[in-house]
């Protein structure tokens, strides 16, 4: 249908921009998406929607180059200084990517000034306040209340508020009521269903059937939702104590996203500590590190594993420890394990172990 729309009007900026996001979000093809965004802003260089969407795409697809995304955000805001969606996502970018909470807050405030009843903006601002000003619970709650007053059926705002009520207010009963509102607002929202299942498994441990039913609803709503699948593996492993079902769920999660570093890391732990399968564990460590080459925990755990499984080849373990320390020079557990390793494998050089 996108192709037909563009055949009818090859320079329609909104169609080009929508197609670009489809190529990125659904087709997982950032190169084609970028080319389509370039066509959109060539067709209409002042189209604030296209510029804002392109900026968001750049911030997510190319986080290593934030300057391009910021330049595009600035173009979008110049084109329309009151564009609420652009102001909101720019606020997110300034906080999450630029690590500049002051500029981020100013951008959120601009967005809210231009549309005081935009539930998505209010929700994002509340999340921002939770992350930067968590001690001011009253202010955070007031923003959440504004969000769900603006849109009482905004499932994302309701879920986010539920998380705050549980984590920030330590009020599981109010949190549960808010989760129920979120599920009522959107009964097939996989992320909400999964979050609610996690909440139930932690706060209502006496009723695991209820949590499991919610996990099943989540993966029925979206069978490839990686977070839902991964959270369900935790439940099956730690609550149900069923390694066969756990492994099957890990396999589903990895099939859904073969490069999801957290899933691969968790599965590695399962293979090492539950299945006691060193060959599969080693293979999974390699995949986990390929997915995230600078994850200090994974690198350190792999180094420890190599030192235990291949004691005859300490060089591999040492190289992995060095990578772990490079990734995080202040990681106390890795430093301590490395020191023990050096004291056992390099007894001729006690100074290195002591320095570690």
């Amino acid at each position: 249908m996108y192709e037909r729309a563009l055949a009818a009007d090859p320079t329609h900026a909104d169609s080009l921009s929508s197609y670009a996001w489809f190529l990125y979000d659904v087709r997982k093809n950032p190169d084609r998406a970028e080319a389509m965004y370039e066509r959109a802003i060539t067709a209409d260089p002042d189209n604030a929607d296209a510029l804002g969407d392109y900026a968001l795409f750049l911030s997510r697809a190319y986080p290593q180059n934030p300057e391009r995304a910021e330049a595009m955000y600035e173009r979008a805001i110049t084109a329309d200084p009151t564009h609420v969606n652009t102001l909101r996502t720019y606020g997110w970018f300034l906080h999450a990517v630029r690590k500049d909470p002051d500029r981020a807050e100013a951008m959120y405030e601009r967005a809210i000034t231009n549309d005081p009843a935009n539930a998505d903006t209010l929700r994002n601002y509340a999340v921002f306040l939770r992350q930067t000003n968590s001690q001011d619970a009253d202010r955070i709650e007031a923003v959440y209340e504004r969000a769900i007053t603006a849109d009482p059926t905004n499932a994302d705002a309701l879920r986010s508020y539920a998380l705050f009520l549980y984590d920030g207010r330590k009020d599981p009963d109010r949190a549960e009521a808010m989760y129920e509102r979120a599920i009522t607002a959107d009964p097939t929202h996989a992320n909400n269903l999964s979050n609610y299942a996690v909440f139930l498994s932690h706060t209502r441990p006496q009723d695991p059937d209820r949590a499991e039913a919610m996990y099943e609803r989540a993966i029925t709503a979206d069978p490839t939702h990686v977070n839902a699948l991964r959270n369900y593996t935790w439940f099956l492993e730690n609550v149900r104590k069923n390694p066969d079902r756990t492994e099957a769920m890990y396999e589903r999660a990895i099939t859904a996203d073969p490069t999801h570093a957290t899933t691969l890391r968790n599965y590695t732990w399962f293979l090492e500590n539950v299945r006691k399968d060193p060959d599969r564990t080693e293979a999974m460590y390699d995949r986990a590190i390929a997915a995230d080459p600078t994850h200090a925990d994974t690198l350190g755990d792999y180094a420890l594993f190599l030192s235990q499984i291949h004691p005859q080849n300490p060089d591999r373990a040492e190289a992995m420890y060095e990578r772990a320390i490079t990734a995080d020079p202040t990681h106390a557990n890795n430093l301590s394990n490395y020191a023990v390793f050096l004291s056992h494998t390099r007894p001729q050089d006690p100074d290195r172990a002591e320095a570690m």
Side-chain angles (χ1 to χ4, degrees), residues 49 80-91 107-108 110-122:
D49 287 330
D80 184 352
T82 64
H83 195 288
V84 173
N85 287 346
T86 300
L87 293 167
R88 179 179 70 249
T89 60
Y90 195 10
M107 201 58 62
Y108 278 122
R110 280 182 63 178
I112 292 169
T113 297
N114 282 287
D115 186 352
N118 186 297
D120 290 328
T121 302
L122 291 164

Short mmCIF file of all heavy atoms in Angstrom, two decimals, residues 49 80-91 107-108 110-122:
data_model
loop_
_atom_site.label_atom_id
_atom_site.label_comp_id
_atom_site.label_asym_id
_atom_site.label_seq_id
_atom_site.Cartn_x
_atom_site.Cartn_y
_atom_site.Cartn_z
N ASP A 49 6.67 17.40 10.68
CA ASP A 49 6.42 15.99 11.02
C ASP A 49 7.55 15.10 10.51
O ASP A 49 8.08 14.26 11.25
CB ASP A 49 5.10 15.53 10.40
CG ASP A 49 3.88 16.10 11.12
OD1 ASP A 49 3.98 16.36 12.33
OD2 ASP A 49 2.85 16.28 10.46
N ASP A 80 8.68 24.28 13.01
CA ASP A 80 7.45 24.45 13.80
C ASP A 80 7.83 24.46 15.28
O ASP A 80 7.95 23.41 15.90
CB ASP A 80 6.46 23.32 13.51
CG ASP A 80 5.13 23.52 14.25
OD1 ASP A 80 5.04 24.44 15.09
OD2 ASP A 80 4.20 22.74 14.00
N PRO A 81 8.00 25.65 15.86
CA PRO A 81 8.43 25.75 17.26
C PRO A 81 7.41 25.24 18.28
O PRO A 81 7.74 25.13 19.46
CB PRO A 81 8.67 27.26 17.45
CG PRO A 81 8.77 27.83 16.07
CD PRO A 81 7.90 26.96 15.21
N THR A 82 6.20 24.93 17.83
CA THR A 82 5.16 24.48 18.75
C THR A 82 4.76 23.02 18.51
O THR A 82 3.73 22.57 19.02
CB THR A 82 3.91 25.37 18.64
OG1 THR A 82 3.33 25.24 17.33
CG2 THR A 82 4.26 26.83 18.91
N HIS A 83 5.55 22.29 17.75
CA HIS A 83 5.21 20.91 17.40
C HIS A 83 5.44 20.03 18.63
O HIS A 83 6.59 19.73 19.00
CB HIS A 83 6.07 20.44 16.24
CG HIS A 83 5.57 19.19 15.57
ND1 HIS A 83 5.66 17.95 16.15
CD2 HIS A 83 4.96 19.00 14.36
CE1 HIS A 83 5.15 17.04 15.33
NE2 HIS A 83 4.72 17.66 14.24
N VAL A 84 4.35 19.58 19.24
CA VAL A 84 4.44 18.94 20.54
C VAL A 84 5.19 17.61 20.47
O VAL A 84 6.02 17.31 21.34
CB VAL A 84 3.03 18.73 21.13
CG1 VAL A 84 3.08 17.91 22.42
CG2 VAL A 84 2.39 20.08 21.40
N ASN A 85 4.92 16.80 19.45
CA ASN A 85 5.60 15.50 19.36
C ASN A 85 7.11 15.67 19.24
O ASN A 85 7.89 14.93 19.86
CB ASN A 85 5.06 14.70 18.18
CG ASN A 85 3.67 14.16 18.44
OD1 ASN A 85 3.20 14.14 19.57
ND2 ASN A 85 3.00 13.72 17.39
N THR A 86 7.53 16.65 18.43
CA THR A 86 8.97 16.89 18.27
C THR A 86 9.57 17.40 19.57
O THR A 86 10.65 16.94 19.99
CB THR A 86 9.21 17.90 17.14
OG1 THR A 86 8.70 17.37 15.92
CG2 THR A 86 10.70 18.17 16.98
N LEU A 87 8.90 18.33 20.23
CA LEU A 87 9.41 18.85 21.50
C LEU A 87 9.53 17.73 22.53
O LEU A 87 10.51 17.65 23.29
CB LEU A 87 8.49 19.95 22.02
CG LEU A 87 8.44 21.24 21.18
CD1 LEU A 87 7.27 22.11 21.62
CD2 LEU A 87 9.75 22.02 21.32
N ARG A 88 8.54 16.84 22.55
CA ARG A 88 8.56 15.74 23.52
C ARG A 88 9.71 14.77 23.23
O ARG A 88 10.47 14.40 24.14
CB ARG A 88 7.23 14.98 23.50
CG ARG A 88 7.21 13.79 24.47
CD ARG A 88 5.89 13.05 24.46
NE ARG A 88 5.68 12.31 23.23
CZ ARG A 88 4.77 12.62 22.32
NH1 ARG A 88 3.96 13.66 22.50
NH2 ARG A 88 4.63 11.91 21.22
N THR A 89 9.85 14.34 21.98
CA THR A 89 10.91 13.37 21.68
C THR A 89 12.29 14.03 21.77
O THR A 89 13.27 13.34 22.11
CB THR A 89 10.72 12.72 20.30
OG1 THR A 89 10.73 13.72 19.28
CG2 THR A 89 9.40 11.95 20.25
N TYR A 90 12.36 15.33 21.52
CA TYR A 90 13.63 16.02 21.70
C TYR A 90 13.99 16.06 23.19
O TYR A 90 15.16 15.89 23.57
CB TYR A 90 13.53 17.44 21.14
CG TYR A 90 14.85 18.16 20.93
CD1 TYR A 90 16.08 17.49 21.03
CD2 TYR A 90 14.87 19.51 20.61
CE1 TYR A 90 17.27 18.16 20.82
CE2 TYR A 90 16.06 20.18 20.40
CZ TYR A 90 17.27 19.50 20.51
OH TYR A 90 18.45 20.17 20.31
N GLY A 91 12.99 16.24 24.04
CA GLY A 91 13.23 16.17 25.48
C GLY A 91 13.79 14.81 25.87
O GLY A 91 14.76 14.72 26.65
N MET A 107 12.80 21.45 27.53
CA MET A 107 12.09 21.03 26.32
C MET A 107 10.74 20.41 26.67
O MET A 107 9.73 20.66 25.99
CB MET A 107 12.95 20.05 25.53
CG MET A 107 12.59 19.93 24.06
SD MET A 107 12.68 21.51 23.14
CE MET A 107 14.42 21.91 23.32
N TYR A 108 10.70 19.60 27.73
CA TYR A 108 9.43 19.05 28.17
C TYR A 108 8.47 20.17 28.58
O TYR A 108 7.27 20.12 28.27
CB TYR A 108 9.64 18.09 29.34
CG TYR A 108 10.04 16.69 28.94
CD1 TYR A 108 11.22 16.11 29.41
CD2 TYR A 108 9.24 15.93 28.09
CE1 TYR A 108 11.59 14.82 29.05
CE2 TYR A 108 9.60 14.64 27.73
CZ TYR A 108 10.77 14.09 28.21
OH TYR A 108 11.12 12.81 27.83
N ARG A 110 8.39 23.17 27.45
CA ARG A 110 7.89 23.81 26.22
C ARG A 110 6.76 22.99 25.60
O ARG A 110 5.74 23.53 25.15
CB ARG A 110 9.02 23.96 25.19
CG ARG A 110 9.94 25.13 25.42
CD ARG A 110 11.00 25.24 24.33
NE ARG A 110 10.42 25.50 23.00
CZ ARG A 110 11.16 25.67 21.91
NH1 ARG A 110 12.48 25.59 21.98
NH2 ARG A 110 10.59 25.91 20.74
N ALA A 111 6.95 21.67 25.58
CA ALA A 111 5.94 20.80 25.00
C ALA A 111 4.63 20.91 25.78
O ALA A 111 3.54 21.00 25.19
CB ALA A 111 6.43 19.36 24.98
N ILE A 112 4.72 20.92 27.09
CA ILE A 112 3.51 20.98 27.93
C ILE A 112 2.85 22.34 27.82
O ILE A 112 1.62 22.45 27.82
CB ILE A 112 3.86 20.63 29.39
CG1 ILE A 112 4.26 19.15 29.47
CG2 ILE A 112 2.69 20.91 30.33
CD1 ILE A 112 4.88 18.74 30.79
N THR A 113 3.64 23.40 27.69
CA THR A 113 3.07 24.74 27.52
C THR A 113 2.26 24.81 26.24
O THR A 113 1.18 25.41 26.19
CB THR A 113 4.19 25.79 27.49
OG1 THR A 113 4.86 25.78 28.75
CG2 THR A 113 3.63 27.18 27.22
N ASN A 114 2.75 24.15 25.19
CA ASN A 114 2.06 24.20 23.90
C ASN A 114 0.84 23.28 23.86
O ASN A 114 -0.06 23.51 23.05
CB ASN A 114 3.02 23.84 22.78
CG ASN A 114 3.94 25.00 22.42
OD1 ASN A 114 3.51 25.97 21.81
ND2 ASN A 114 5.20 24.92 22.82
N ASP A 115 0.82 22.24 24.70
CA ASP A 115 -0.36 21.37 24.76
C ASP A 115 -0.44 20.81 26.17
O ASP A 115 0.08 19.72 26.46
CB ASP A 115 -0.25 20.25 23.74
CG ASP A 115 -1.53 19.41 23.66
OD1 ASP A 115 -2.43 19.62 24.50
OD2 ASP A 115 -1.63 18.54 22.77
N PRO A 116 -1.12 21.52 27.08
CA PRO A 116 -1.12 21.11 28.49
C PRO A 116 -1.87 19.81 28.77
O PRO A 116 -1.75 19.26 29.88
CB PRO A 116 -1.81 22.29 29.19
CG PRO A 116 -1.76 23.42 28.23
CD PRO A 116 -1.79 22.80 26.88
N ALA A 117 -2.62 19.31 27.80
CA ALA A 117 -3.41 18.10 28.03
C ALA A 117 -2.96 16.94 27.15
O ALA A 117 -3.75 16.03 26.87
CB ALA A 117 -4.88 18.40 27.78
N ASN A 118 -1.71 16.95 26.74
CA ASN A 118 -1.19 15.86 25.92
C ASN A 118 -0.71 14.75 26.86
O ASN A 118 0.31 14.88 27.53
CB ASN A 118 -0.05 16.36 25.04
CG ASN A 118 0.43 15.30 24.05
OD1 ASN A 118 0.92 14.26 24.44
ND2 ASN A 118 0.27 15.58 22.77
N ALA A 119 -1.43 13.65 26.90
CA ALA A 119 -1.15 12.58 27.87
C ALA A 119 0.21 11.95 27.65
O ALA A 119 0.90 11.60 28.62
CB ALA A 119 -2.24 11.51 27.80
N ASP A 120 0.63 11.79 26.40
CA ASP A 120 1.93 11.18 26.14
C ASP A 120 3.07 12.06 26.64
O ASP A 120 4.04 11.56 27.23
CB ASP A 120 2.10 10.91 24.64
CG ASP A 120 1.20 9.81 24.14
OD1 ASP A 120 0.92 8.87 24.92
OD2 ASP A 120 0.78 9.86 22.97
N THR A 121 2.95 13.36 26.42
CA THR A 121 3.98 14.27 26.90
C THR A 121 4.03 14.27 28.42
O THR A 121 5.11 14.22 29.03
CB THR A 121 3.73 15.70 26.39
OG1 THR A 121 3.70 15.70 24.96
CG2 THR A 121 4.82 16.66 26.86
N LEU A 122 2.87 14.33 29.05
CA LEU A 122 2.83 14.32 30.50
C LEU A 122 3.40 13.02 31.07
O LEU A 122 4.14 13.03 32.07
CB LEU A 122 1.38 14.53 30.97
CG LEU A 122 0.81 15.93 30.69
CD1 LEU A 122 -0.71 15.91 30.81
CD2 LEU A 122 1.40 16.96 31.67
#
